[in-house]
Amino acid sequence: MKYNKYIDHTLLRADASTKEIIKLCQEAKEYDFASVCVNPDYVKLCKNQLKNTNVKVCTVIGFPLGSNTTSIKVKETTDAIANGAQEIDMVVNISWLKEHKLKEVINEIKSIKKACKKHILKVIVETSLLNQADKINASKCVLSGGADFIKTSTGFSIGGATVEDIKLFKKYVKNNAKIKASGGIKTYPEMLAMIKAGANRIGTSRGISLMQGK
């Protein structure tokens, strides 16, 4: 089985240079990854680097805290798509989720999904900050909001993806949404375990080493 199309080849460091982003795109083309995932200011560059390829441009919205207002997240999304983004990874408002303001969470997801138009929306729920009930609620909100994916983590909080969380999400979203495992996936066996548990996409800055580990 080919695992390259599971990988969102990611570089979201604040100090990522133009040279590094160009290298990221070159690697993504070489390995034919699903996408590159970059901060919004690099979307145009990646679009140009990846033209005439099957590698998509993914960017992040409300990153990494999720605490921007909905109107700002919608504007970010509209701007990113105008610049060439094909996939949007938004950070949910985590305090809303934890305070059971689920209607607000769902409405925000719906607003951003509308701004995405035909493009894929992934909702980052930052599992390391959630208890099990929160994770179940997050799954339900993602489905109610019409998002395409639920995503575990930003990679910038206190923890990342776990097999247990992937299994939990799979139980509740079933085949009605896909799952992206992201944060702390360092080895080929870890990647395989996530996929076996139900992950459809792997967000990682270690795409090359994971492929070489095969």
Side-chain angles (χ1 to χ4, degrees):
M1 184 174 182
K2 292 183 178 180
Y3 294 107
N4 55 307
K5 281 301 185 184
Y6 279 84
I7 291 179
D8 287 348
H9 197 36
T10 303
L11 180 52
L12 294 169
R13 289 193 344 262
D15 62 342
S17 68
T18 299
K19 184 178 179 180
E20 287 176 305
I21 296 295
I22 291 172
K23 181 182 178 185
L24 186 84
C25 292
Q26 290 172 340
E27 292 169 344
K29 287 190 285 187
E30 179 182 352
Y31 285 87
D32 192 27
F33 288 140
S35 79
V36 295
C37 187
V38 297
N39 282 305
D41 57 331
Y42 279 127
V43 166
K44 281 186 178 179
L45 173 63
C46 292
K47 179 186 177 182
N48 290 331
Q49 290 290 314
L50 295 169
K51 63 184 177 182
N52 302 320
T53 76
N54 293 319
V55 182
K56 291 182 168 58
V57 180
C58 173
T59 195
V60 289
I61 300 299
F63 194 86
L65 300 179
S67 298
N68 297 8
T69 62
T70 297
S71 61
I72 293 299
K73 288 180 180 177
V74 168
K75 175 61 178 173
E76 280 188 285
T77 301
T78 302
D79 185 64
I81 289 171
N83 288 335
Q86 297 156 292
E87 299 192 353
I88 298 295
D89 288 18
M90 65 160 280
V91 187
V92 76
N93 189 308
I94 297 160
S95 65
W96 286 354
L97 191 57
K98 294 185 70 64
E99 293 174 3
H100 307 289
K101 297 178 180 178
L102 304 185
K103 184 177 180 180
E104 288 89 338
V105 174
I106 292 166
N107 286 340
E108 180 171 88
I109 294 170
K110 285 182 176 178
S111 295
I112 295 172
K113 179 59 181 175
K114 183 178 180 180
C116 284
K117 299 179 181 178
K118 63 181 180 179
H119 301 294
I120 285 175
L121 174 62
K122 310 186 197 97
V123 179
I124 307 170
V125 301
E126 204 70 279
T127 48
S128 62
L129 301 180
L130 306 179
N131 60 33
Q132 183 158 323
D134 295 330
K135 294 169 190 176
I136 293 168
N137 283 334
S139 301
K140 294 176 179 178
C141 288
V142 166
L143 293 179
S144 296
D148 302 283
F149 279 77
I150 187 168
K151 176 179 170 182
T152 59
S153 319
T154 61
F156 285 76
S157 190
I158 59 175
T162 68
V163 168
E164 291 73 20
D165 285 339
I166 301 303
K167 288 179 178 177
L168 180 67
F169 287 151
K170 187 64 177 177
K171 178 180 178 180
Y172 285 92
V173 304
K174 297 181 170 62
N175 294 320
N176 299 310
K178 295 182 179 180
I179 301 168
K180 178 174 174 179
S182 184
I185 302 167
K186 299 177 182 178
T187 68
Y188 187 72
E190 287 174 344
M191 178 181 73
L192 293 187
M194 297 292 175
I195 293 170
K196 184 178 180 181
N200 307 96
R201 201 74 74 84
I202 303 292
T204 179
S205 60
R206 300 177 175 88
I208 302 301
S209 62
L210 291 178
M211 287 297 95
Q212 291 175 343
K214 184 175 181 180

